[in-house]
Amino acid sequence: MRSNSRPTVLLTGFGPFPNVPRNASAVIVKRLAREARLALPHVRFAVAVLPTEWVRAPGLVSELHERHDPVLALHFGVATSMRGFRIETAARNFCRMSPDAAGGLPASNCICEGGASALATSVPATAVAQHLEAHGFEARLSDDAGGYLCNAVFYHSLLEARTRRDRCRVGFIHIPLKAGAPETIGRTISGALEVLKFSLHHAPQEATLTSV
């Protein structure tokens, strides 16, 4: 639970996974937290690099929500063949049978038996994308976070927020695979900080059950 009066923001990235030995999202969230602590001294930041594993990652997400009781959880992951920022609008109750970093497979092709087919983000995704574009960043919306750990963590985090009466807004941002490279990391951090500040200070959209 929150240990002081400052609101807490949870930031997560991922560790390596097959064919991606260095995950840019892990680098980004650590640097982002350092910049955010300077820009937003009234906010407490909790940072975690999640193992890209079907069992461990969702369990850790639950622990982080329980421990920190955040007002905002922003999860970052990488996606191939993309540029700029991809703001995810929904998490699907679906797992692709792909091996994780430990070689394991999901126990089922769905995340939560009997759960909603999809859950909507609770950050103002459309407004976030527009804000980024207004500040010169390339951004687009997506209603498909994939069937791998990005989608699974997003879904679990939204479920956790619901058990806490939606006190926490939850969003997922995909960044390019090479976003952590020396020539791009500074701009990626700047854009991610804009996402964080906008999501924290603007009214969230209502989280609703969807079918996608």
Side-chain angles (χ1 to χ4, degrees):
M1 297 296 291
R2 212 175 294 146
S3 59
N4 56 46
S5 59
R6 289 190 298 164
T8 297
V9 170
L10 172 63
L11 301 172
T12 75
F14 287 97
F17 59 95
N19 300 318
V20 181
R22 185 176 183 271
N23 195 316
S25 66
V27 178
I28 294 302
V29 293
K30 292 175 184 177
R31 286 274 301 270
L32 173 60
R34 289 202 294 269
E35 296 292 331
R37 289 182 180 114
L38 295 174
L40 302 165
H42 63 288
V43 178
R44 176 177 173 268
F45 292 92
V47 185
V49 175
L50 305 174
T52 314
E53 298 179 21
W54 289 110
V55 174
R56 292 177 63 203
L60 185 52
V61 167
S62 297
E63 290 177 17
L64 290 166
H65 273 272
E66 177 66 26
R67 185 187 314 156
H68 299 291
D69 193 19
V71 298
L72 173 66
L74 283 183
H75 306 286
F76 290 83
V78 296
T80 57
S81 303
M82 63 164 280
R83 297 170 57 188
F85 294 87
R86 197 172 83 195
I87 316 300
E88 300 298 342
T89 62
R92 296 179 298 156
N93 191 5
F94 168 74
C95 295
R96 188 174 71 240
M97 286 294 161
S98 296
D100 62 18
L105 294 173
S108 169
N109 63 0
C110 68
I111 295 169
C112 178
E113 295 288 346
S117 61
L119 297 174
T121 186
S122 47
V123 301
T126 300
V128 167
Q130 292 171 343
H131 178 76
L132 283 173
E133 290 179 333
H135 284 73
F137 297 97
E138 188 170 343
R140 69 181 182 90
L141 299 176
S142 165
D143 63 1
D144 184 358
Y148 200 45
L149 268 298
C150 291
N151 177 74
V153 160
F154 191 16
Y155 193 95
H156 276 284
S157 192
L158 286 164
L159 282 180
E160 285 295 326
R162 283 173 176 261
T163 66
R164 290 166 173 73
R165 300 181 181 180
D166 290 322
R167 292 194 301 269
C168 177
R169 310 173 203 177
V170 178
F172 198 101
I173 316 298
H174 269 113
I175 57 175
L177 198 62
K178 297 182 179 180
E183 64 273 17
T184 57
I185 189 169
R187 185 159 176 79
T188 304
I189 295 297
S190 296
L193 185 59
E194 289 298 329
V195 172
L196 193 164
K197 291 189 292 185
F198 191 93
S199 299
L200 188 61
H201 293 140
H202 289 74
Q205 62 195 45
E206 183 180 357
T208 57
L209 297 182
T210 58
S211 296
V212 296

